[in-house]
């Protein structure tokens, strides 16, 4: 049954995406295609990406924020008061309001099993906050690319992929979306420092192709994607040389590897 609702929600999402002028960066024209994006990760994930020749798209269930991809309070109120206005929400009118809420929660969890999300930080400069937020050790990596290259690097034809800019809203008083996939382009304002660009990749509800229980490896042209590779400002001196050798091993020998100068001493 979830396959039926997933396919229905996906069809609706695709039509909404094409018309959207908020998170759809191709329509809103507020961003240049040359705008820089960054991916912060530990060294092991960097090597895995090169080995797989893929970007990994984890399922939303793996995100730490339990509001990730959820309906806002306003969305829930709209659905419960007028469930027939949106046909991809299978609300049983015989249930109590609390039971309906639980049903909506279960519904959105099931729908998110068919989508993976790959997140990037939008910024013209590297970010001290992102280094601190996403790295668990000094052996950290940041890939620098552009919005245009991020989207054009996807070479995997098995998946439908979409790119959008996350919108940060008040989840108590503003609408995210009634569509369980569109919600993934909305987050709480408390996370606005992340300034995210996201790629969504969709599994086929009727012929599952996700190749990992936690998401999907989506084949990507890393030569197109990677402009520069930064190593953490607190990393040991040998890490830059190791990263360079790993790039050479995976046939990306000419990509600049830069030791972040974020914490170098002042100019005086």
């Amino acid at each position: 049954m979830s396959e039926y609702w997933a396919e229905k929600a996906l069809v609706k999402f695709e039509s909404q995406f094409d018309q959207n002028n908020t998170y759809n960066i191709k329509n809103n024209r507020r961003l240049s295609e040359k705008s820089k994006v960054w991916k912060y990760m530990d060294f092991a994930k960097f090597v895995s990406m090169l080995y797989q020749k893929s970007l990994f798209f984890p399922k939303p269930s793996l995100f730490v924020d339990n509001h990730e991809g959820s309906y806002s309070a306003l969305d829930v109120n709209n659905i419960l008061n007028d469930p027939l206005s949106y046909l991809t929400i299978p609300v049983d009118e015989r249930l109590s309001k609390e039971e309906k809420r639980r049903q909506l929660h279960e519904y959105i969890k099931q729908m998110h099993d068919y989508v993976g999300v790959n997140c990037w930080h939008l910024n013209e400069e590297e970010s001290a906050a992102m280094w601190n937020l996403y790295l668990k050790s000094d052996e950290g990596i940041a890939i620098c690319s552009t919005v245009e290259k991020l989207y054009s690097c996807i070479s995997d034809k098995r998946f439908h992929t979409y790119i959008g800019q996350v919108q940060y809203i008040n989840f108590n008083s503003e609408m995210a979306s009634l569509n369980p996939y569109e919600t993934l382009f909305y987050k709480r304002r408390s996370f606005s420092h992340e300034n995210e660009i996201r790629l969504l990749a969709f599994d086929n509800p009727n012929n599952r192709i996700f190749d990992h229980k936690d998401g999907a490896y989506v084949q990507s042209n890393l030569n197109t994607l990677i402009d520069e590779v930064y190593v953490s400002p607190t990393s040991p001196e040998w890490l830059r040389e190791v990263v360079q050798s790993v790039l050479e091993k995976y046939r990306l020998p000419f990509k600049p590897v830069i030791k972040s100068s974020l914490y170098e001493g002042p100019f005086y």
Side-chain angles (χ1 to χ4, degrees):
M1 191 60 163
S2 62
E3 290 84 0
Y4 169 81
W5 291 112
E7 187 171 20
K8 200 170 181 63
L10 178 54
V11 169
K12 188 70 174 179
F13 167 79
E14 289 173 336
S15 65
Q16 288 177 308
F17 181 88
D18 289 340
Q19 300 167 17
N20 186 274
N21 295 320
T22 306
Y23 58 77
N24 185 341
I25 57 180
K26 294 182 179 180
N27 289 349
N28 66 32
R29 301 187 182 282
R30 290 195 294 268
L31 285 181
S32 164
E33 291 183 334
K34 306 301 181 186
S35 296
K36 287 186 178 181
V37 291
W38 303 75
K39 182 77 169 175
Y40 294 83
M41 64 186 75
D42 59 39
F43 179 68
K45 287 184 178 178
F46 176 68
V47 174
S48 175
M49 181 189 73
L50 297 178
Y51 174 73
Q52 296 285 348
K53 298 182 176 63
S54 302
L55 294 177
F56 186 68
F57 283 65
K59 293 179 182 179
S61 59
L62 296 183
F63 294 153
V64 174
D65 177 20
N66 58 10
H67 284 73
E68 190 83 31
S70 70
Y71 297 122
S72 71
L74 185 58
D75 296 331
V76 172
N77 185 63
N78 288 342
I79 293 168
L80 295 183
N81 288 318
D82 190 13
L84 296 179
S85 66
Y86 199 77
L87 297 179
T88 57
I89 306 293
V91 178
D92 188 340
E93 281 299 286
R94 296 168 297 179
L95 301 177
S96 69
K97 224 166 202 184
E98 202 49 49
E99 289 171 325
K100 288 178 182 177
R101 286 178 185 273
R102 283 196 292 271
Q103 188 182 52
L104 286 175
H105 179 70
E106 184 59 31
Y107 164 77
I108 207 166
K109 276 177 55 182
Q110 290 179 11
M111 296 306 97
H112 285 173
D113 196 43
Y114 297 92
V115 63
V117 184
N118 191 269
C119 307
W120 291 69
H121 174 63
L122 177 67
N123 203 333
E124 290 305 306
E125 307 289 340
E126 60 179 303
S127 166
M130 293 298 106
W131 280 121
N132 293 332
L133 187 61
Y134 286 99
L135 304 180
K136 297 182 176 64
S137 73
D138 291 336
E139 297 171 19
I141 304 296
I143 295 171
C144 182
S145 186
T146 67
V147 170
E148 178 185 32
K149 291 178 180 178
L150 175 59
Y151 189 69
S152 63
C153 80
I154 303 296
S155 57
D156 201 325
K157 304 304 182 186
R158 296 174 300 163
F159 304 99
H160 291 178
T161 56
Y162 298 85
I163 188 169
Q165 184 175 12
V166 172
Q167 304 298 301
Y168 299 92
I169 65 171
N170 185 322
F171 263 59
N172 291 319
S173 60
E174 295 180 81
M175 175 179 275
S177 176
L178 302 184
N179 185 285
Y181 299 129
E182 201 174 38
T183 60
L184 293 165
F185 285 123
Y186 292 88
K187 293 187 72 169
R188 291 180 290 169
R189 286 182 184 162
S190 301
F191 294 88
S192 61
H193 60 280
E194 295 178 351
N195 202 18
E196 274 190 53
I197 292 286
R198 286 187 160 180
L199 289 167
L200 304 188
F202 288 93
D203 201 356
N204 186 330
N206 300 306
N207 183 24
R208 303 301 297 269
I209 51 178
F210 271 19
D211 45 17
H212 191 285
K213 66 181 179 66
D214 292 327
Y217 289 101
V218 177
Q219 295 163 14
S220 307
N221 186 330
L222 301 182
N223 190 48
T224 296
L225 174 67
I226 299 172
D227 280 339
E228 300 165 325
V229 178
Y230 283 68
V231 296
S232 165
T234 59
S235 64
E237 289 300 319
W238 50 262
L239 183 60
R240 192 188 69 80
E241 294 180 5
V242 170
V243 170
Q244 189 68 70
S245 68
V246 170
L247 285 169
E248 290 172 4
K249 176 180 178 181
Y250 290 103
R251 300 183 180 179
L252 295 167
F254 304 113
K255 301 298 180 181
V257 180
I258 302 165
K259 169 71 179 288
S260 170
S261 59
L262 193 63
Y263 297 136
E264 286 185 357
F267 294 110
Y268 57 83

